[in-house]
Amino acid sequence: MQLVVLTFNGLPRCIEQMTKLGYTYLGTYGIEGREYFKRLGFHAHMVQINNDEFSRKRLFLEHLRTHPDARAEYAALKRHLADKWAAHPDALQRYNLGKTDFIMGALTAAGWDPERRPQYLKDSTNAIH
């Protein structure tokens, strides 16, 4: 789930409300421009409208909406990675790193400038597959 806000000024109130819904607040969780919440089986990303993280995610989702083959491939990749890493102590990190090449390829195909690649994605080159 992606929560889009005008500013992070109301973050303390959002943390309070998300906590009431059973989410744990994890800060940026390594991704500048985003706030991360997690609960068993779910996660939520809070981003400011029109920041780079918002724009990147929006472009990626629009690419998946308009390219059914890419959407199916991404769904299959996510299932494969979830199964592959389910029992590993770093399952979430490995799952996320395993999606990086696909996500960057889809963004590039959608017109994203690879030079705008966020640092956390640059650091995940040679991701665990």
Side-chain angles (χ1 to χ4, degrees), residues 107-127:
L107 285 169
T108 301
W112 183 263
D113 179 359
E115 294 301 314
R116 292 181 66 191
R117 184 178 179 126
Q119 187 62 43
Y120 72 92
L121 289 175
K122 290 177 185 174
D123 292 345
S124 64
T125 304
N126 303 320

Side-chain angles (χ1 to χ4, degrees), residues 95-116:
Y95 169 82
N96 286 332
L97 288 173
K99 298 185 304 181
T100 300
D101 289 343
F102 180 90
I103 291 169
M104 291 310 301
L107 285 169
T108 301
W112 183 263
D113 179 359
E115 294 301 314
R116 292 181 66 191

Side-chain angles (χ1 to χ4, degrees), residues 2-122:
Q2 181 161 295
L3 310 168
V4 180
V5 296
L6 293 176
T7 72
F8 287 133
N9 291 343
L11 183 59
R13 176 101 168 108
C14 290
I15 294 170
E16 178 184 327
Q17 294 303 311
M18 292 296 284
T19 300
K20 288 179 182 178
L21 294 172
Y23 285 86
T24 301
Y25 173 63
L26 298 172
T28 63
Y29 207 63
I31 299 179
E32 184 179 332
R34 163 197 94 165
E35 302 296 329
Y36 185 71
F37 299 85
K38 179 179 162 184
R39 76 177 207 194
L40 187 60
F42 300 93
H43 63 268
H45 302 234
M46 180 184 291
V47 297
Q48 286 182 250
I49 194 163
N50 296 328
N51 76 2
D52 274 351
E53 194 62 23
F54 169 83
S55 299
R56 184 189 62 78
K57 177 80 96 172
R58 186 174 179 183
L59 183 63
F60 177 68
L61 293 175
E62 184 61 27
H63 180 76
L64 293 181
R65 282 187 199 104
T66 58
H67 294 82
D69 291 345
R71 184 173 56 241
E73 183 181 348
Y74 186 56
L77 173 64
K78 290 174 62 154
R79 282 190 299 274
H80 167 74
L81 292 169
D83 291 343
K84 180 176 181 177
W85 300 115
H88 196 280
D90 294 326
L92 182 60
Q93 180 183 17
R94 290 172 181 263
Y95 169 82
N96 286 332
L97 288 173
K99 298 185 304 181
T100 300
D101 289 343
F102 180 90
I103 291 169
M104 291 310 301
L107 285 169
T108 301
W112 183 263
D113 179 359
E115 294 301 314
R116 292 181 66 191
R117 184 178 179 126
Q119 187 62 43
Y120 72 92
L121 289 175
K122 290 177 185 174

